[in-house]
Amino acid sequence: MKQQLEAIRADALAAFNAVDSAAALDALRVQYLGKKGELTAVLKQMGKLSAEERPVIGQLANDIRAELEKVLEEKSASIEAQALQQRLVEEKLDVTIPGKAPVIGHKHPMYIALDEIKDIFIGMGFTVLDGPEVEFAELNFDRLNAEEGHPSRDWSDTFYFDEDCRVMLRSQTSPMQVRAMDTMELPIRIIAPGRVYRKDEVDATHSPMFHQVEGMVIDKGVTMADLKGTLNTVVEQLYGKGTKTRFRPHHFPFTEPSCEMDVQCHKCGGVGCPTCKGEGWIELLGAGMIHPRVLEMAGIDPEVYSGWAFGIGLERTAMRRFKIADLRLIFENDIRFLEQF
Ligand code: DAH
């Protein structure tokens, strides 16, 4: 029996030592020291012992129980300490580390360019108008002197909503000229920025959605000299003093005469290079004197009033302003790209 007790002692000590969780340790406590445990089972056989042996074995059993309980307690304390240590490491919080500064976004380069354009025109007394992107073909075309059969009205160029081609995604901001003439008192000085839509494939210079800024002045005695003077001033403010421009004759249904305005290439200074495709000039906008028929359709007497108008592509303006080579970068919204501006 003595050997049995010694064996239990040795087994228990080895098992206690090997264990590393509180739950496993508790299971061992039950196994060795519990009411139905190994030690108790041996003690239950004490009755078989002689009167001399009984106290000796009893003493030994008590000593072993006491020793095992002590070791258990120590082991339990060390497991607890270890667990606490681990939690302290895992849940470490250094309150002295500087906080994360909130990341504040900033303006998209195209809107930086738009805000510059707005500032320039507001400074010259223009009002900024906003208008619908879903537009009547009547305003986008008819009232701008582009009658049925005009190539720009084709299904293949324009997003129509109905079979009769009456409602569409505006293909230009020019219908804002009509909306201004219909609703505002003369004289009128407005710009109208916004999205426009055409059935174009996406490439480095095209997108089915892009932005224009429309501009229009109507007053008594307005001439082509006012158009050129104003647009030259705007270009100098946008691209720097001394930026050279040129006006080329062109055709738009709603202006007569019509022109396109080019700026001298910033890369080569007019000599010709890949950026300007060897031209020395880069096309910037379309403009012209408002066609008398357009004024008449709005109930404005072309004998008394005259006006000029222009339409400028905003992406192209921003690309030139910030030397961006590919239109797609403007719409992809890659933060690594946008953060440069
Ligand atoms: N709407 C024309 C376009 O999208 C641009 C334009 C040309 C606007 C001449 C005008 C203008 O106001 O007078 O190509």
Side-chain angles (χ1 to χ4, degrees), residues 118-339:
K118 280 187 187 169
D119 275 352
I120 295 168
F121 280 101
I122 288 169
M124 296 192 293
F126 284 61
T127 302
V128 180
L129 294 188
D130 197 13
E133 290 167 29
V134 176
E135 185 57 283
F136 295 109
E138 186 193 349
L139 272 70
N140 195 93
F141 294 125
D142 301 273
R143 294 279 307 271
L144 289 167
N145 202 32
E147 269 137 29
E148 294 293 342
H150 193 276
S152 65
R153 301 187 70 140
D154 206 280
W155 264 96
S156 59
D157 290 336
T158 300
F159 295 101
Y160 289 105
F161 287 93
D162 56 333
E163 293 284 330
D164 301 335
C165 304
R166 289 156 69 108
V167 181
M168 57 183 285
L169 287 173
R170 67 180 176 189
S171 62
Q172 50 186 357
T173 44
S174 302
M176 288 307 292
Q177 293 185 28
V178 180
R179 289 180 175 273
M181 286 187 269
D182 284 353
T183 56
M184 295 175 78
E185 299 281 331
L186 294 167
I188 295 172
R189 277 190 213 87
I190 57 111
I191 58 167
R195 293 191 185 95
V196 302
Y197 302 84
R198 291 181 196 175
K199 287 187 179 168
D200 285 329
E201 296 290 335
V202 174
D203 66 22
T205 53
H206 291 88
S207 158
M209 186 281 294
F210 59 103
H211 297 71
Q212 289 185 332
V213 182
E214 196 75 13
M216 182 178 75
V217 173
I218 304 177
D219 202 347
K220 290 174 179 158
V222 172
T223 71
M224 190 97 184
D226 298 315
L227 182 165
K228 291 180 77 171
T230 309
L231 293 180
N232 276 335
T233 307
V234 170
V235 163
E236 282 206 326
Q237 291 202 37
L238 263 184
Y239 297 134
K241 263 224 137 1
T243 304
K244 288 217 163 54
T245 61
R246 82 176 176 187
F247 291 81
R248 276 180 295 105
H250 203 77
H251 172 77
F252 297 105
F254 38 89
T255 43
E256 183 58 39
S258 304
C259 61
E260 279 192 330
M261 178 181 174
D262 301 336
V263 281
Q264 199 164 60
C265 179
H266 57 279
K267 264 271 165 66
C268 63
V271 185
C273 71
T275 300
C276 58
K277 300 194 183 84
E279 294 278 323
W281 299 88
I282 297 173
E283 180 198 320
L284 192 64
L285 56 85
M289 299 305 293
I290 300 173
H291 199 294
R293 276 228 284 281
V294 171
L295 292 173
E296 264 166 8
M297 282 189 273
I300 297 170
D301 185 350
E303 298 296 332
V304 182
Y305 284 96
S306 57
W308 58 267
F310 72 93
I312 186 170
L314 195 49
E315 285 81 1
R316 200 183 289 176
T317 310
M319 284 165 76
R320 225 201 90 101
R321 171 77 175 69
F322 296 111
K323 303 188 169 52
I324 299 167
D326 194 313
L327 175 68
R328 286 165 287 202
L329 289 167
I330 302 239
F331 298 125
E332 276 166 359
N333 286 335
D334 185 331
I335 292 196
R336 291 166 303 178
F337 167 74
L338 296 176
E339 275 174 350

